[in-house]
């Protein structure tokens, strides 16, 4: 039987998920597109052949003709709607971040723990990206020895107008917080945050440079530059005791002309991480079918860790001081 999916939120990511469900997810049906703006929901529903549209997210989650939920509404709605999905007993793939408040993530964790199972798969899709997975596999293979440092670059063309100064840390950097934890198999213990001289921290998309320490003694730096202008560019390098692994931007073609070589950048994350999104959503469908949480996907605990690091990062930037990161105990439900 086909799994009937409701997409909550018909913005950039809701539209992208609707397209993936409609075109690239055999065994899934796009049942409902829900958005507070009916015309937005209708447009995507028509483009992707959804059975119905709706405006109320909680009612949509509870519908008897909906088996699973895909939450792609604004950041502040992610945790409340995850809670509604858990209450309805339905698995949810929730876009990142789970919340910008670690406390709110703990509410989601408590709800799952009290039901004795996981419902929320978190959309930190980079864990499914072939390049990051290669990096992890090469590190785990042992040939590089112990990982010492990880450098990360995250550059967007232009920050959206509603992007606040803090969102480099609370909305963009959580991708790196999560994928570095995944690749290194480590947790973060402290964060320091810097900005180039003369930068107005409250300005939309102001660049941020972070240095994090892990519980294995590794150093991880993250540059977030949401106004890099030239293209969407995510790169990195993992440095081990006996060598390093580069994470390149995969570009299938190169243009040659006028004594120059040109490579094209993706305009944003959807095309750069298209394969990661597809594999992530496939893993979610399998989770809905089998009830077995995907081995490499982020869960509510990972969402909590990312939110905690982001909170410490915001505080480190405000105070101009290194901030430590202290987690509560991990419930056994999240042991892998
Ligand atoms: C956005 O919300 C995303 O999730 C993108 O993957 C990221 O590159 C961007 O910086 C975020 O704002």
């Amino acid at each position: 039987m086909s799994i009937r999916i409701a997409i909550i939120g018909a913005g950039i990511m809701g539209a992208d998920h609707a397209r993936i469900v409609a075109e690239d997810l055999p065994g899934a049906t796009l049942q409902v597109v829900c958005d507070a703006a009916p015309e937005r929901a209708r447009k995507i529903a028509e483009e992707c052949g959804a059975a119905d549209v709706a405006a109320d997210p909680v009612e949509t989650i509870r519908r008897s003709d909906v088996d699973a939920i895909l939450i792609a509404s604004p950041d502040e709605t992610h945790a409340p709607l995850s809670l509604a999905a858990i209450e309805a007993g339905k698995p949810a793939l929730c876009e990142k971040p789970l919340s910008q408040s670690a406390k709110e993530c703990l509410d989601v964790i408590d709800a799952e723990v009290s039901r004795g199972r996981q419902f929320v798969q978190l959309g930190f899709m980079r864990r499914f990206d072939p390049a990051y997975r290669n990096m992890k596999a090469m590190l785990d293979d042992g040939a590089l020895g112990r990982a010492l440092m990880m450098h990360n670059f995250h550059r967007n063309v232009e920050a959206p107008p509603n992007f606040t100064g803090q969102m480099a840390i609370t909305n963009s950097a959580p991708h790196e917080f999560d994928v570095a934890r995944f690749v290194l198999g480590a947790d973060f213990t402290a964060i320091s945050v810097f900005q180039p001289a003369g930068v107005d921290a409250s300005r939309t998309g102001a660049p941020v440079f972070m240095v994090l320490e892990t519980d294995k003694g590794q150093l991880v730096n993250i540059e977030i530059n949401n106004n890099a202008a030239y293209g969407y560019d995510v790169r990195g390098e993992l440095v081990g005791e006996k060598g390093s692994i580069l994470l390149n931007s995969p570009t299938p073609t190169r243009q040659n002309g006028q004594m120059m070589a040109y490579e094209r950048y993706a305009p944003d994350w959807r095309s750069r991480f298209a394969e990661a999104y597809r594999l992530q959503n496939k893993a979610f469908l399998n989770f809905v079918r089998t009830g077995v949480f995907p081995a490499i996907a982020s869960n509510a605990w990972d969402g909590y860790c990312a939110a905690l690091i982001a909170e410490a990062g915001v505080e480190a930037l405000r105070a101009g001081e290194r901030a430590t990161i202290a987690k509560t105990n991990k419930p056994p439900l999240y042991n892998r």
Side-chain angles (χ1 to χ4, degrees):
M1 205 187 80
S2 190
I3 303 291
R4 297 162 298 180
I5 296 184
I7 295 199
I8 316 286
I12 294 182
M13 284 320 297
D16 204 47
H17 283 297
R19 188 193 48 75
I20 295 172
V21 172
E23 292 174 7
D24 241 344
L25 216 52
T29 304
L30 185 57
Q31 190 71 6
V32 187
V33 177
C34 172
D35 196 285
E39 63 288 355
R40 278 213 310 195
R42 215 169 303 115
K43 180 169 179 289
I44 306 240
E46 271 165 24
E47 279 169 12
C48 300
D52 203 359
V53 291
D56 186 305
V58 175
E59 270 173 25
T60 304
I61 288 170
R62 293 183 182 149
R63 279 170 66 145
S64 60
D65 62 349
V66 165
D67 305 309
I69 319 297
L70 216 156
I71 302 169
S73 39
D75 288 6
E76 66 279 7
T77 66
H78 291 177
L81 294 178
S82 294
L83 285 169
I86 296 168
E87 201 186 309
K90 295 183 186 175
L93 172 58
C94 179
E95 263 302 329
K96 46 61 59 180
L98 180 53
S99 171
Q100 294 187 352
S101 138
K103 157 80 189 63
E104 211 178 27
C105 295
L106 286 176
D107 294 341
V108 176
I109 287 172
D110 286 347
E112 289 193 327
V113 167
S114 68
R115 279 195 152 243
R117 62 156 283 195
Q118 294 183 55
F119 290 89
V120 181
Q121 180 183 329
L122 199 56
F124 280 127
M125 77 298 181
R126 290 192 191 180
R127 289 178 179 227
F128 291 89
D129 176 58
Y132 278 110
R133 286 182 73 177
N134 259 351
M135 185 185 246
K136 179 166 177 55
M138 287 161 104
L139 177 65
D140 290 350
D141 168 58
L144 288 185
R146 206 165 56 88
L148 303 174
M149 289 171 283
M150 187 171 173
H151 307 287
N152 301 273
F153 306 83
H154 179 150
R155 299 183 187 146
N156 299 75
V157 176
E158 189 180 17
N162 60 348
F163 213 76
T164 63
Q166 285 189 0
M167 281 172 85
I169 304 174
T170 61
N171 179 286
S172 295
H175 278 299
E176 273 79 14
F177 300 156
D178 184 72
V179 85
R181 287 179 64 243
F182 170 67
V183 169
L184 298 172
D187 264 313
F188 289 115
T189 53
I191 180 168
S192 308
V193 182
F194 308 90
Q195 288 192 303
V199 155
D200 172 3
S202 64
R203 190 171 59 85
T204 303
V208 175
F209 190 89
M210 293 165 244
V211 180
L212 294 100
E213 299 157 49
T214 77
D215 55 3
K216 292 183 175 169
Q218 298 133 335
L219 292 178
V220 173
N221 70 275
I222 304 173
E223 173 205 304
I224 304 286
N225 184 358
N226 295 118
N227 279 323
Y230 67 89
Y232 183 72
D233 190 10
V234 167
R235 280 180 286 127
E237 183 171 9
L238 185 71
V239 182
E241 286 168 320
K242 297 182 217 157
S244 85
I245 309 164
L246 271 178
L247 183 110
N248 299 321
S249 280
T251 40
T253 48
R254 193 177 70 182
Q255 184 181 329
N256 299 313
Q258 297 167 319
M259 313 294 279
M260 304 263 283
Y262 306 87
E263 281 181 8
R264 214 168 263 288
Y265 280 100
D268 68 34
W269 57 92
R270 288 168 298 174
S271 41
R272 162 63 184 86
F273 287 108
E275 181 64 357
Y277 281 113
R278 200 182 64 76
L279 294 171
Q280 163 195 266
N281 292 14
K282 231 175 119 183
F284 176 62
L285 191 64
N286 198 46
F287 169 42
V288 179
R289 278 222 192 85
T290 62
V292 180
F293 196 84
I296 62 165
S298 296
N299 55 32
W301 176 258
D302 298 309
Y304 163 70
C305 292
L308 203 63
I309 302 161
E311 274 178 357
V314 169
E315 177 52 22
L317 179 61
R318 192 200 59 78
E321 276 176 14
R322 171 180 178 271
T324 54
I325 300 160
K327 295 196 303 287
T328 62
N329 291 331
K330 177 154 85 172
L333 180 64
Y334 301 102
N335 288 341
R336 297 197 195 249

